[in-house]
Amino acid sequence: MQILRIDSATTGEQSISRRLTQMITDHYAAKNPEAQIVTRDLVSEPLPHIDPITTKAIRTPTETHEEAVRAAYPAQRAVLDEFLASDVVVIGAPMYNFSIPSQLKAWLDRLGVPGVTFKYSEKGPEGLAGGRKVVIASARGGAYENGTMAENQESLLKTFLEFIGVDDLTFIRVEKAGFGPEAIEAEFAAAKGEIARL
């Protein structure tokens, strides 16, 4: 079993989403002591935003790659292979300016690969990357309800992951980070109960 932990918060030791991804990863590791844990920190080791070379490397057949694209391909494909090799994926996704960190978007951009994680047919798009559990560690400064400003954060992740075939998706939230320490700890207490049920 492989557990993949993705962190994208830029707030270091103050990060709520990093604390949450640690709790979720610890939970799965305790239930599966033999599991291999793979960690990708998108802040300490950022993925560059995609450009014409990396886009070709990600999205076009290898036999069509010219030299620069061929050179870029292994590193781009490694990100996808890491995801596909994982049974559980824990994604730290704080809300930054009503969306996700750009570091996390750069990671997502390497997962949307035609013919590998999705395809189109007469019936429309079909996701091909199911078969794994994905848990989103969602952190927010305020208190939001679905259908409000939070839509740009969680809906983006839900839409994209479901598009590539993820059908086992859970959000664990810690909100009210801007309300002070007591509110944060109350949110973590509630999140701990939700994690225990995973």
Side-chain angles (χ1 to χ4, degrees):
M1 179 181 190
Q2 180 165 297
I3 302 168
L4 174 60
R5 172 182 171 178
I6 303 293
D7 283 304
S8 64
T10 60
T11 48
E13 293 182 1
Q14 273 69 57
S15 169
I16 288 174
S17 68
R18 286 175 184 269
R19 182 176 166 190
L20 201 50
T21 57
Q22 185 66 59
M23 291 169 62
I24 297 165
T25 302
D26 288 347
H27 168 79
Y28 279 109
K31 290 179 69 174
N32 304 278
E34 79 294 346
Q36 177 184 2
I37 299 173
V38 177
T39 300
R40 183 175 284 273
D41 190 325
L42 299 172
V43 176
S44 64
E45 296 183 62
L47 294 167
H49 295 294
I50 56 174
D51 59 24
I53 297 296
T54 53
T55 298
K56 285 184 180 179
I58 294 163
R59 298 178 66 87
T60 62
T62 55
E63 62 270 16
T64 68
H65 291 176
E66 60 266 29
E67 184 177 348
V69 178
R70 193 177 308 116
Y73 176 78
Q76 306 308 311
R77 181 64 191 221
V79 176
L80 174 61
D81 287 344
E82 188 176 73
F83 174 81
L84 294 176
S86 299
D87 304 284
V88 175
V89 181
V90 181
I91 302 173
M95 177 189 279
Y96 283 7
N97 300 311
F98 306 107
S99 187
I100 60 174
S102 62
Q103 294 91 336
L104 183 54
K105 178 60 167 62
W107 180 74
L108 293 175
D109 285 338
R110 287 156 171 86
L111 305 187
V113 181
V116 179
T117 58
F118 72 92
K119 67 178 182 179
Y120 291 106
S121 69
E122 297 78 16
K123 297 179 181 178
E126 178 184 345
L128 305 174
R132 71 206 76 254
K133 172 72 176 175
V134 177
V135 183
I136 307 293
S138 176
R140 304 167 176 170
Y144 302 95
E145 295 180 6
N146 289 339
T148 65
M149 292 180 285
E151 288 299 289
N152 299 320
Q153 175 214 17
E154 291 190 358
S155 284
L156 185 156
L157 292 163
K158 183 176 187 295
T159 299
F160 176 81
L161 290 165
E162 289 180 350
F163 177 81
I164 65 170
V166 173
D167 55 6
D168 190 353
L169 178 62
T170 300
F171 285 85
I172 304 290
R173 298 175 187 89
V174 169
E175 298 192 308
K176 302 182 181 178
F179 289 50
E182 290 186 7
I184 292 170
E185 291 311 312
E187 289 284 309
F188 268 112
K192 187 175 181 181
E194 293 181 38
I195 293 167
R197 292 191 288 272
L198 289 171

